[in-house]
Structure formats: C-alpha cells, structure tokens
Amino acid sequence: MFDWTAMLAQVDPRSATPLYAQIAARLRVAVASAELRPGDPLPSVRQLATRLRINPATVVQAYRELETEGFAEMRQGAGTFVREVASDRRSRERARQARRLVRELIAEAGKLGLSTNDLLEAIQDELGAKTA
Amino acid sequence: MFDWTAMLAQVDPRSATPLYAQIAARLRVAVASAELRPGDPLPSVRQLATRLRINPATVVQAYRELETEGFAEMRQGAGTFVREVASDRRSRERARQARRLVRELIAEAGKLGLSTNDLLEAIQDELGAKTA
DNA sequence: TATAGTGTATTATATCACTAATACACTAGG
DNA sequence: CCTAGTGTATTAGTGATATAATACACTATA
C-alpha cells in the first residue's frame, strides 16, 4: 500500500523543485521500493490534482515522466497503472549508472575548484557514510 | 592566480543552470579556495561578456550576486574586486557548495531508482573512499 | 583636463519551464 | 447504449532567464 495522505504534506508548491518533479520523484521511489506494485492504479489525474490543490495538467506531466521512464502506464479512459519493471536489466546497469553519476559529481566539483576532501565531507554529511 | 581561460570552456549556455549562476558559482568557490585573493580585480563586465560571448547584463547579474553575498565589491568607474572574506566563512562556503552537488547526485540517483548503497559503492570506486 | 575604460540604469524583446484553464476522446460498468 | 470517469490536447498566463540597445555616471591616468 501507499500512504497518499502523507504525500499531501510532502508536496510543496513553494519549493524550488517543480511540483510535477516532486510528485514523480515520490512515486518513483514508491515503485522502486515496492510500496506500489505492478498493476496498482495511481490516483486519477483529477483526483490527485484536487487533493493536492494543483492543476490536473501538472499531475499529467508527472505521470507522463513516469511513463517515459517505464515506471507507469497511462491508459486513456481507464487510468494510470504501475508497470512491471525489468528489474534484471536495471540491476545489471545500476553500478554502471552510479559510477557515471559519481564521475559527473567529480567533474562538477572540479569545475568549481572544490577539493576531493570537500566532496568527501559533504558525502559523509548527506549520505552518512564514514570516509577515510 | 585564477585561470580565466579555463573558465571559458566551463561556462555552458545549454546547461540547465543559468549562465549568471554558473559564473557566480565558479567565482564564489575561487574566492573561497583562495584562487582569487582579496583585492584581486575581476575582469570588467564588458571584457568577460565578450570572452564568454554572452551579454554584459548577464555578467552584471553574476557580479551583483557575488557583491550581495559579500564576495566581491563593484566600484563604479574602477572595476569589480575580490573582497576580504573570513577564512572560516570560506571553508563553510566550500562545504555548502559541496553539499549542494552531493544533493544533486542523490536526486539524480533517485530518478534512476538507485539505492544509497549503489552510490556508496560507486563513490568508493571513483574516489577511493572507504564507506561503511 | 581629456578621455578611455569602468560600473549603473532603463527599456524592450525573446525564450523557456511551469502552471492553469478548458475543451476533447476514450473506456468501463451499469 | 450511456454516462461517469478516465487520459489527451490545445491554448494561455506567469515568472525567470538571457539578450539587446542605449544612455548615463564615475574613476584612473596619460
């Protein structure tokens, strides 16, 4: 199950991150962590929009992003549903994708002139990792 | 000293982050890491705009942001100069920027459905940090 | 003191992301 | 079949960003 009520408190219109991105991010994680299972219906575009007091089109944008990424499927006239994810292929690519992101992090830090140590300390703060 | 030539290659108009923000971020860290020292002149608004092939107003916006934050001082008729910044604040600024990058990393990882552990392993590979 | 080089200010235009509003098209269930 | 409830599509408003064109005010220095 998924606690839709809790989501209401989490989505913040004043945040710098777009509403649609906040919604998509939350649901993406919900799918990844099996809070939402394949075949589960997402709330209708209008339902969620009404609950969040935002525009339906914004919810559509969130759902469309999830569909593009393969997390959900929008069926006209029926609704939007959680999709079965090809977990085999995804898990095989995880390490590779993670390394790519970390390399980008290092590149960005380099552009800004941040030292490796600056990064490691930030990682420790944000990810709670003990670094040596 | 500061390698202004290298900065030309780093500022990217196609990036999602605004040009003025890219410029300000780079110079902010340059001050924070003492690449640029108090009293050092920044390039004139027109000079930097010409070199970066962008509009002078965009450079002004970057400089003004730096001035608001206390990293630089704009003197009409004279130029823009690096301001004296306390060392503890410089280190705090580096930490702040590093945390910002790490948060972006985490957000991107979330989009891809990567776990914290996936990230930590990649960090260990790429940065040689021992993670627990 | 001339003047070239600074920052300052204003107005206008264009583009893009985000959100909104409002019709339209389809599907499922009675 | 019908209709309430879906997603779809189009158009528009808003704000941030960037560019552009000018004019102005100040400073350093030859």
Side-chain angles (χ1 to χ4, degrees):
Chain A
M1 270 301 279
F2 182 73
D3 186 356
W4 292 101
T5 306
M7 187 169 173
L8 302 182
Q10 291 173 7
V11 172
D12 177 18
R14 294 165 306 179
S15 169
T17 60
L19 287 171
Y20 83 92
Q22 294 181 50
I23 297 169
R26 180 68 192 91
L27 295 180
R28 204 180 287 115
V29 173
V31 173
S33 63
E35 286 178 276
L36 291 172
R37 294 165 174 277
D40 281 354
L42 300 184
S44 81
V45 165
R46 288 172 183 76
Q47 264 186 12
L48 187 54
T50 300
R51 286 193 182 183
L52 295 176
R53 295 165 178 258
I54 63 179
N55 195 279
T58 302
V59 177
V60 168
Q61 198 172 354
Y63 281 8
R64 195 185 309 280
E65 183 169 284
L66 290 173
E67 184 173 49
T68 300
E69 296 165 348
F71 287 103
E73 179 183 8
M74 305 180 83
R75 290 208 297 270
Q76 185 174 207
T80 304
F81 304 88
V82 176
R83 214 170 191 181
E84 180 77 46
V85 290
S87 58
D88 284 353
R89 185 176 171 189
R90 286 185 59 83
S91 60
R92 204 181 312 158
E93 289 290 311
R94 275 189 183 172
R96 178 182 160 81
Q97 293 296 324
R99 275 200 302 273
R100 181 178 61 79
L101 290 181
V102 172
R103 287 203 195 95
E104 285 178 6
L105 170 74
I106 295 172
E108 284 302 313
K111 283 185 185 177
L112 292 179
L114 293 171
S115 71
T116 301
N117 212 45
D118 290 328
L119 270 188
L120 287 178
E121 287 179 0
I123 289 167
Q124 183 170 351
D125 287 352
E126 298 297 320
L127 281 174
K130 296 177 184 175
T131 58
Chain B
M1 270 303 279
F2 183 74
D3 188 354
W4 291 101
T5 306
M7 187 171 173
L8 301 183
Q10 291 172 8
V11 171
D12 178 16
R14 294 165 306 180
S15 169
T17 60
L19 286 171
Y20 82 91
Q22 293 181 50
I23 297 169
R26 181 64 190 97
L27 296 180
R28 203 181 290 116
V29 175
V31 173
S33 63
E35 287 178 275
L36 290 173
R37 296 170 170 278
D40 281 356
L42 300 185
S44 82
V45 165
R46 290 172 182 77
Q47 263 187 14
L48 187 54
T50 301
R51 285 194 181 183
L52 294 175
R53 295 165 177 256
I54 63 178
N55 196 278
T58 304
V59 178
V60 168
Q61 198 172 354
Y63 281 9
R64 195 186 310 280
E65 185 169 283
L66 291 173
E67 184 172 49
T68 299
E69 296 165 347
F71 289 101
E73 180 183 8
M74 306 179 85
R75 290 210 296 269
Q76 186 175 205
T80 304
F81 304 88
V82 176
R83 233 180 178 172
E84 181 75 49
V85 177
S87 67
D88 62 337
R89 195 190 157 193
R90 293 207 314 259
S91 58
R92 257 188 288 127
E93 178 58 25
R94 289 206 312 276
R96 202 172 80 87
Q97 295 300 322
R99 276 200 305 272
R100 182 178 61 80
L101 289 182
V102 172
R103 287 207 191 92
E104 287 178 7
L105 169 75
I106 294 172
E108 286 301 313
K111 286 184 184 175
L112 294 177
L114 297 174
S115 70
T116 299
N117 215 44
D118 291 327
L119 277 186
L120 288 177
E121 287 179 1
I123 288 167
Q124 184 169 353
D125 288 352
E126 298 296 321
L127 280 174
K130 295 176 184 175
T131 59

